[in-house]
Amino acid sequence: MRITIIGSGNVATHLAAAFKNAGHRIVQVYSRNMQHAALLAYHVKAEPLDDLIQIDPETDIFVIAVKDDAIGIMAEQLEPHQKLMVHTSGATDLYALLAFADNVGVFYPLQTFSKTREVNFRNVPICIEAADKNIAKELRELAQTVSNSVYDIDSKQRRILHLAAVFANNFPNYLYTMAQQILTQQGLDIDLIRPLILETAEKVQTGLPAAMQTGPAIRHDQNTMDNHLQLLQDNPDLQQLYTLLSQGIIKMDIDPHGDK
Amino acid sequence: MRITIIGSGNVATHLAAAFKNAGHRIVQVYSRNMQHAALLAYHVKAEPLDDLIQIDPETDIFVIAVKDDAIGIMAEQLEPHQKLMVHTSGATDLYALLAFADNVGVFYPLQTFSKTREVNFRNVPICIEAADKNIAKELRELAQTVSNSVYDIDSKQRRILHLAAVFANNFPNYLYTMAQQILTQQGLDIDLIRPLILETAEKVQTGLPAAMQTGPAIRHDQNTMDNHLQLLQDNPDLQQLYTLLSQGIIKMDIDPHGDK
C-alpha cells in the first residue's frame, strides 16, 4: 500500500518502520516540526512535509499518529482528499474521525514505544476498528503484514484496554521507580532488582498473574508488612501506597504460593 | 562443597539444583514433609530426611531455606553440629542465626522462584552477609560458583532490598492481576497486554524507570484520567488505587516522554 504518516513521534516512527519493512511504500511523513518530519522520512525513504497543503493525494491511507487532542484537527484537514484515514490512539473513539468522514478506522498498536528502542513489531497486538466491514477487512490485512496478533476491538473495548494498559505499564513502571528510589537512598544499585523485575514480567507471559502472587501480603505476614511500613516512616505517600496495594493483595484471597 | 539443604520450597529447590549443577555435592535434603524432601533429594541425588536427628554431620554447610519464622528453630537444632549455617531470607537479619552460633551467614538469592519455572541462576543476584571476614570470603566463593552477580549486603541493607523487591515484584504482579480483571470483565483476553507487560520490564533493564514513564498521569492528561476513573466507577478500591498511583506519577515532575 501507499501509506502517508501523519506525525513523527514514537508510534509514528515504529509504525512507519514496520510498514516499510513489510514492503509498503511510505509516501510522505508530516510533522509540524520539519526536522522531525525529515528525520523519520529519511529512515523510511519518504518525502517530509510540515504543511498539510503539500500533501500528496496519491496515497491509499492516512495514518494519523499524533497527540489525542490533535487527531480531529488533522482529520478535518485531510478529509477533502477522501482517502482512508485511521488514528492509532488507545484513548480515542472512532467517532473522532467519523465526525469528519465515513472512510475511517482505528489502527491501535498496543505497546509502549521509545524512539531509540527496537521493537519486534510481529509480537505487537494491533487492535482494529472500522466504519464498515470492507474497511475492517482492508485494515486487518494491512495489520497482518506487520503483526501476528490482530484483534477486532470496538471503541468501548478499546477504552477498557487502554485503562488495563495503564495498570500493566504506567503503574508498574512507577513502582519500579519507587523501588529504585528506595534503593538509591541507601546507596544500593538498581541492578540488584533488574533481574527480579524481568522475571516478574516473564512469569505472566504464560501463567496468570493471580497464580504468581508472592510476598508478605499474600502470606498475611503482618510482621514483615509492619517492618516495611516502619522503613517507610519518612515517606507517608509511599506508606499509603504500600498499605493500599497490600490490602488489595490480601483481598485477592487466593492460595498463597509463598516466595520461599 | 558438601551442602545440606534445609527446606524443600521454591528457594530450596532452585538453590539445590544450582549447587548441584555447579558441581557441589548435596548431602541431604530435609523437609518436615518426607514426600517433599524425597522429591527434591531425588533430583539432586541426595538423601531425604524429615527428622533432624538423622542429620549427617559430614557436611560443610547447612543452607536453611525455610519460612522466616522457622529459621531460628532450625538453627537451634543444627547448632550442635558446629558447621557453617546460612539462611536465605531477604526479610531476616543475620542475628536470627547469631543468636545460636558464631559460624553463620546469609546467602540471599534475590529472585522470585516457582518450582515449575526454570531460572538462569547465573543472572540471579546473590546477597552475602557473614559473621566474620573468613566466612564472608567462603560464602562469596560459593556464590560465585552459581552466579555472576554477588553482592555484600548487610542486614540493614537487606531489609531495604526486601522492601524494594516488594515494589519491584509483588506490587507490579498485583497490578497485572488488576489489569487482567479489568479485561476479563469485558470479555477481553490477557494476551492483549502480555507483550506490553514484558516490554515495560525489558525497557528498565538498561534505562532508568523514571525516564521510561509514559501515560496520562505524566502528561497531566486530566481528561483521560477522568475517563478512566469513570470506567472504574463500580470498583471504588481500584479508583482509589488509580488516583493514588496517578498522583505519585504527577509528583515525579519529570519531562514526560509521552507514549505516542
Side-chain angles (χ1 to χ4, degrees):
Chain A
M1 283 178 87
R2 292 168 302 179
I3 298 173
T4 301
I5 303 288
I6 308 297
S8 60
N10 294 337
V11 172
T13 297
H14 284 277
L15 261 183
F19 285 138
K20 181 71 183 171
N21 291 338
H24 300 287
R25 184 178 150 219
I26 312 299
V27 182
Q28 293 180 313
V29 172
Y30 164 84
S31 170
R32 279 182 309 179
N33 180 317
M34 191 56 175
Q35 279 188 304
H36 294 174
L39 183 64
L40 177 52
Y42 173 79
H43 285 299
V44 297
K45 301 196 186 345
E47 183 193 348
L49 65 157
D50 64 356
D51 187 340
L52 288 178
I53 295 275
Q54 301 150 9
I55 209 92
D56 184 348
E58 294 299 309
T59 190
D60 297 313
I61 182 170
F62 293 115
V63 175
I64 304 176
V66 297
K67 287 204 167 69
D68 291 352
D69 54 11
I71 291 172
I73 301 162
M74 296 295 121
E76 191 170 11
Q77 294 184 67
L78 294 168
E79 179 274 325
H81 299 290
Q82 301 203 312
K83 302 287 178 183
L84 176 56
M85 278 196 294
V86 296
H87 77 62
T88 61
S89 166
T92 306
D93 282 12
L94 180 60
Y95 184 78
L97 300 180
L98 271 178
F100 301 101
D102 299 325
N103 197 14
V104 296
V106 178
F107 195 99
Y108 170 43
L110 208 183
Q111 187 49 284
T112 171
F113 298 106
S114 307
K115 278 188 195 168
T116 54
R117 223 186 112 75
E118 282 233 29
V119 164
N120 181 355
F121 223 90
R122 294 232 64 91
N123 297 333
V124 175
I126 298 192
C127 305
I128 296 297
E129 183 179 12
D132 66 41
K133 281 185 182 177
N134 289 332
I135 300 171
K137 184 166 175 286
E138 194 171 354
L139 292 180
R140 221 177 283 126
E141 284 168 4
L142 176 61
Q144 282 160 354
T145 66
V146 294
S147 171
N148 298 330
S149 304
V150 181
Y151 294 84
D152 290 315
I153 298 287
D154 67 26
S155 287
K156 184 175 169 240
Q157 290 173 318
R158 199 168 52 254
R159 282 196 294 268
I160 295 292
L161 204 46
H162 189 249
L163 172 63
V166 169
F167 278 86
N169 164 270
N170 304 157
F171 291 165
N173 189 75
Y174 174 67
L175 295 174
Y176 303 159
T177 306
M178 294 304 101
Q180 191 218 336
Q181 189 179 298
I182 289 165
L183 293 177
T184 305
Q185 281 171 356
Q186 302 291 330
L188 293 166
D189 196 318
I190 185 180
D191 275 350
L192 277 158
I193 57 162
R194 281 195 163 114
L196 179 65
I197 286 172
L198 189 58
E199 176 70 6
T200 305
E202 284 182 344
K203 267 187 169 181
V204 300
Q205 295 305 304
T206 46
L208 288 181
M212 304 298 169
Q213 190 64 51
T214 57
I218 197 74
R219 290 197 307 269
H220 297 207
D221 178 352
Q222 194 62 48
N223 186 35
T224 298
M225 289 188 276
D226 288 345
N227 288 340
H228 285 167
L229 288 172
Q230 177 70 20
L231 289 170
L232 293 170
Q233 61 181 331
D234 294 336
N235 196 329
D237 286 349
L238 277 193
Q239 275 187 331
Q240 195 187 354
L241 188 56
Y242 186 99
T243 301
L244 199 61
L245 286 161
S246 296
Q247 284 170 348
I249 293 171
I250 290 167
K251 279 189 197 167
M252 285 169 69
D253 201 22
I254 53 167
D255 275 345
H257 277 230
D259 59 3
K260 286 286 140 199
Chain B
M1 283 178 87
R2 293 169 300 179
I3 298 173
T4 300
I5 304 288
I6 308 297
S8 60
N10 293 336
V11 172
T13 297
H14 284 278
L15 261 183
F19 286 138
K20 181 72 185 171
N21 290 338
H24 301 286
R25 185 177 150 221
I26 312 299
V27 182
Q28 291 180 315
V29 172
Y30 164 83
S31 170
R32 280 181 307 181
N33 180 315
M34 190 57 177
Q35 279 187 302
H36 294 173
L39 183 63
L40 176 53
Y42 173 79
H43 285 298
V44 297
K45 301 193 185 345
E47 182 192 349
L49 65 158
D50 63 355
D51 187 339
L52 288 178
I53 296 276
Q54 302 149 9
I55 210 89
D56 183 348
E58 293 300 308
T59 188
D60 296 313
I61 182 170
F62 293 116
V63 175
I64 303 176
V66 298
K67 286 205 169 67
D68 291 351
D69 54 11
I71 291 171
I73 301 162
M74 295 296 120
E76 191 169 12
Q77 294 184 67
L78 294 168
E79 180 273 325
H81 300 289
Q82 301 202 313
K83 302 287 178 182
L84 177 55
M85 277 196 293
V86 295
H87 76 63
T88 62
S89 166
T92 306
D93 282 10
L94 179 61
Y95 184 78
L97 300 180
L98 272 178
F100 300 101
D102 298 326
N103 197 14
V104 296
V106 177
F107 195 98
Y108 169 44
L110 207 182
Q111 187 51 284
T112 171
F113 297 106
S114 307
K115 277 188 196 169
T116 54
R117 220 186 115 76
E118 283 232 27
V119 164
N120 180 356
F121 223 90
R122 294 232 64 91
N123 297 333
V124 175
I126 299 191
C127 305
I128 296 297
E129 185 180 10
D132 66 42
K133 282 185 183 178
N134 290 332
I135 299 171
K137 183 165 176 288
E138 194 171 356
L139 292 180
R140 220 178 285 126
E141 284 168 2
L142 175 62
Q144 282 160 353
T145 65
V146 293
S147 170
N148 298 330
S149 304
V150 181
Y151 294 83
D152 290 315
I153 298 286
D154 68 26
S155 287
K156 184 173 169 245
Q157 291 173 318
R158 200 167 52 253
R159 281 196 295 267
I160 295 292
L161 204 47
H162 189 251
L163 171 63
V166 168
F167 278 85
N169 164 271
N170 305 158
F171 291 165
N173 189 75
Y174 174 68
L175 294 174
Y176 303 158
T177 307
M178 293 304 101
Q180 191 219 336
Q181 188 180 299
I182 288 166
L183 293 177
T184 306
Q185 281 170 357
Q186 303 291 330
L188 293 165
D189 196 317
I190 187 180
D191 275 350
L192 277 158
I193 56 162
R194 281 193 162 116
L196 179 65
I197 287 172
L198 189 57
E199 176 70 6
T200 305
E202 284 183 344
K203 267 187 167 180
V204 300
Q205 295 305 304
T206 47
L208 288 180
M212 304 297 169
Q213 190 65 50
T214 59
I218 197 75
R219 290 197 307 271
H220 297 207
D221 178 352
Q222 194 61 49
N223 186 35
T224 298
M225 288 188 276
D226 289 344
N227 289 339
H228 285 167
L229 288 171
Q230 176 70 20
L231 288 170
L232 293 170
Q233 62 181 330
D234 295 335
N235 195 329
D237 286 349
L238 276 194
Q239 275 188 330
Q240 195 189 354
L241 187 56
Y242 185 100
T243 301
L244 199 61
L245 286 162
S246 296
Q247 285 170 348
I249 293 171
I250 290 168
K251 279 190 197 166
M252 286 170 69
D253 200 22
I254 54 165
D255 275 344
H257 276 228
D259 59 3
K260 285 288 143 193

